[in-house]
Amino acid sequence: MSAISRSREKWVLLFPAILVLSLITVLPFLQTVWTSFTDAEITAREQQVNWIGLENYIWALTDPDFLEALGRTMYFTVVSVGLEGVLGIAVALLLNQKFRGRWFLRVIIILPWAVPTIVNAVAWRLIYHPDYGALNSLLLQLGFIDSYTSWLGDPDRALNMVILADVWKNFPLVAYIALAAMQTIPGDLLKAAAIEGAGAWKRFHSITLPWIIGPMLVVLILRTIEAFRVFDIIYVMTRGGPSDGTKTASFYVYQEYFSYLRSGSGASYAVVVAGISAVLILAYYAGIRRDQRGA
Amino acid sequence: MKLKTLMAVTASAAALMTSAAMADTTLNALFMSQAAYSEDNIKSMTASFEAANPGTKVDLEFVPYEALHDKIIAASGAGDDGYDVVLFDVIWPAEFAERGFLTDVSDRVAADLTSKIFDGAWTTVEYDGKRYGMPWILDTKYLYYNTEILANAGIETPPETWAEVLEQAKVIKDKGLVEYPLVWSWSQSEAMICDFTTLTAAHGGSFFDDGKPAFETGGAKAALDYMKTSLGDGLTNPSSLEYFEEDVRRVFSAGDAAFAMNWTYMNSLVNDPNESKVAGKVGVMSAPGVDGVSEASAVNGSMGLGIPSNSPHADQAWAFINHLTNQSTQEEFANLSLPIWKASYSQSAVTDGQEDLVAAADKSIAVMYPRPLVASYTEVSSILQKHLHGSLLDQTTSEEALANAAKRVARIR
């Protein structure tokens, strides 16, 4: 088969997927981009939609509250994905050891991830509850605190508490991928290294980590994209409070659209968030390609 | 043969379905699942409507108050599949009317109703001289007090001014009767704005003057200072900054507070032994005033029922609204929400067993103060929420908080 017909065959086979993706992703995205350059609003009346150029973007990027929210979202993303990565690999290492009841642990560890985000958020809100939350009761009985504390009521602390809830929900996914990758490491390789005198850390650092880094990058990309557009867990746990301390960028998109009814402006906020996500994805891809060349 | 039978069955089934569809109208109605009428109340009102109107069915949907506004907006683009009846708050008619989300029902309202229903209730559904629904929940926040705690503290009469509230709370705290005598719903939400509005009204303040923010000084600033003082002196439960109305009810029902601000619905629930440890030990009164400024204070927290402009069943929807808002329905369910009808307040069905609530309502309804009646209210409120909450958390002084909020309100597009 010639190279040209092979290439055509690829396009023919890809066509259905491209068509479906265009309809459900590309077209709405282009429409959002177009809307972001207009003064469109949500209204049941006839409206004259005007092209206003970059005005929405200038507005969004000079909105000190939105810029603060972008910084907050970045913090949320870096800390939660970072913790999920470290915790996920650590748990995977543990689950990769031979011990009695391992199969049971491997099954139940996925539970937090299987629970819907909304349910997880409600559960953690109850755990953090200032009056009858389990966290207060536990820490008080262990003697770590003297009186009940308001975990989600303190603006400096609330975001970290939400991050903890998010990490709890999502680290099992990272752990599973890491575990699957670790199981493909030939046992001989690790044994040989041990015989040669490599300690546990050396074996992890020189064999395990390089072996699993590809799959880890993929799962961390997925988590980064999700974390950067975080909305549901915050909507349920704090609704952006206290004093906007947990209001993330996606919350502003939602607010511009559905609370303030400015669809044009809301679209520009959404495009900014999508643009930053795209930069993050490209950075990861660059990381993966470098890794593949290195391997 | 078999094919023929199949076709015949299909055809008759189709005929049945069409005739069923012609006979039945299903109304989609949106309500909230907190405060005022309970879900059970609304279900039984709906059942009696359906019994009286064969052929009309009503599908009820209940959402938290915090989701109500955005639900109404999101469904406005749903065409025939949106809602036919929606519950809306007193702060939204300006926005909903300007954007055409609600049907103008001025012509449907009988002229003689105007004088039979309280003015404060009418303002809930009016904008620019037109009516966009019927008032349904005539509500404001009252001051509830625990009579046993007050008696144990040696306090003979409940407070007549907001200053006295703090004085009595101090006595109660000093005697060790409860750790935090006051509890409020001061989470970053509309619930906090309602308490702030009550206190602003009490101190003679206002939100806007000639379209410009006027809350940086005067009564509004005094209101915020009052809130901060009560927190700083340890008289207000600090968890109030996370509380909604239901949390306030829970804390007060557990006997952990001497005073609480809440809506009408709390009166019957705190006096229900199944729901409350303080049943029978509760007093309810109008929120007090400020010496030399006001006698009593209240926020207009009423809500109305309207027909979204995309509803294809406006006539049936209006019939349902009339059923829910009529005097006999409201008198039957008066223990969680007081009627909009002036005549109801002398009916024993309404007053029996809740004489003190009705007396308080009489006083409060007359002084109900509105939150700003502007189309951008949602944005004004969320700006105020952020800056007030920050100040209550001691991140800013009251001057800074209100100045920042005013600056931000001036930036609204």
Side-chain angles (χ1 to χ4, degrees), chain B residues 81 235 277 364:
Chain B
D81 296 326
L235 301 175
K277 284 191 211 161
S364 289

Side-chain angles (χ1 to χ4, degrees), chain A residues 103-180:
Chain A
W103 64 272
F104 180 69
L105 258 185
R106 281 187 180 176
V107 172
I108 61 161
I109 204 95
I110 200 74
L111 278 181
W113 188 71
V115 168
T117 309
I118 303 288
V119 176
N120 182 60
V122 171
W124 277 95
R125 201 175 62 185
L126 287 175
I127 291 170
Y128 292 149
H129 197 283
D131 302 325
Y132 46 80
L135 183 65
N136 268 329
S137 152
L138 179 75
L139 293 180
L140 192 74
Q141 279 167 23
L142 293 175
F144 285 111
I145 52 175
D146 299 329
S147 62
Y148 275 24
T149 303
S150 170
W151 298 102
L152 293 174
D154 178 335
D156 299 325
R157 192 157 48 197
L159 190 58
N160 290 326
M161 301 317 280
V162 177
I163 286 176
L164 197 62
D166 189 65
V167 169
W168 162 260
K169 165 150 172 55
N170 288 310
F171 88 87
L173 176 70
V174 182
Y176 259 54
I177 305 279
L179 179 61

Side-chain angles (χ1 to χ4, degrees), chain B residues 263-292:
Chain B
W263 306 100
T264 307
Y265 85 106
M266 184 162 107
N267 189 52
S268 78
L269 295 177
V270 286
N271 283 308
D272 174 356
N274 295 324
E275 291 271 340
S276 158
K277 284 191 211 161
V278 300
K281 301 169 192 162
V282 180
V284 56
M285 58 182 280
S286 291
V290 167
D291 232 356

Side-chain angles (χ1 to χ4, degrees), chain A residues 41-45 55-56 59 62-63 65 129-132 150 152-153 155 235 239-244 254 258-262 265, chain B residues 66-67 69-70 73-74 95 97-101 188 239 242-244 247 250-251 309 378-379 382 386 389-390 393 395 408 411-413:
Chain A
E41 299 209 335
I42 297 179
T43 172
R45 297 195 188 287
E55 203 178 296
N56 284 328
W59 179 264
T62 53
D63 178 350
D65 296 339
H129 197 283
D131 302 325
Y132 46 80
S150 170
L152 293 174
Y235 186 82
R239 297 193 70 90
S243 191
D244 280 3
Y254 171 84
F258 290 106
S259 301
Y260 307 158
L261 310 181
R262 292 188 287 255
S265 169
Chain B
E66 282 69 35
H69 173 271
D70 301 352
I73 305 285
E95 177 188 44
E98 291 212 342
R99 289 170 188 267
F101 291 140
Q188 187 184 348
S239 297
E242 280 185 63
Y243 285 164
F244 289 94
D247 303 295
R250 190 177 39 71
V251 170
S309 47
T378 313
E379 193 166 4
S382 72
K386 175 190 171 172
H389 207 236
L393 285 161
Q395 291 179 320
R408 196 58 194 73
R411 194 179 181 260
I412 290 178
R413 301 175 94 172

Side-chain angles (χ1 to χ4, degrees), chain B residues 354-408:
Chain B
Q354 46 184 8
E355 288 81 0
D356 48 351
L357 175 70
V358 172
D362 224 23
K363 199 167 167 186
S364 289
I365 290 170
V367 296
M368 281 202 305
Y369 192 79
R371 284 164 276 167
L373 299 169
V374 289
S376 58
Y377 178 76
T378 313
E379 193 166 4
V380 172
S381 172
S382 72
I383 291 166
L384 276 173
Q385 287 171 31
K386 175 190 171 172
H387 292 283
L388 292 179
H389 207 236
S391 189
L392 294 178
L393 285 161
D394 256 344
Q395 291 179 320
T396 50
T397 64
S398 57
E399 287 89 356
E400 286 165 354
L402 294 170
N404 290 340
K407 216 189 294 169
R408 196 58 194 73

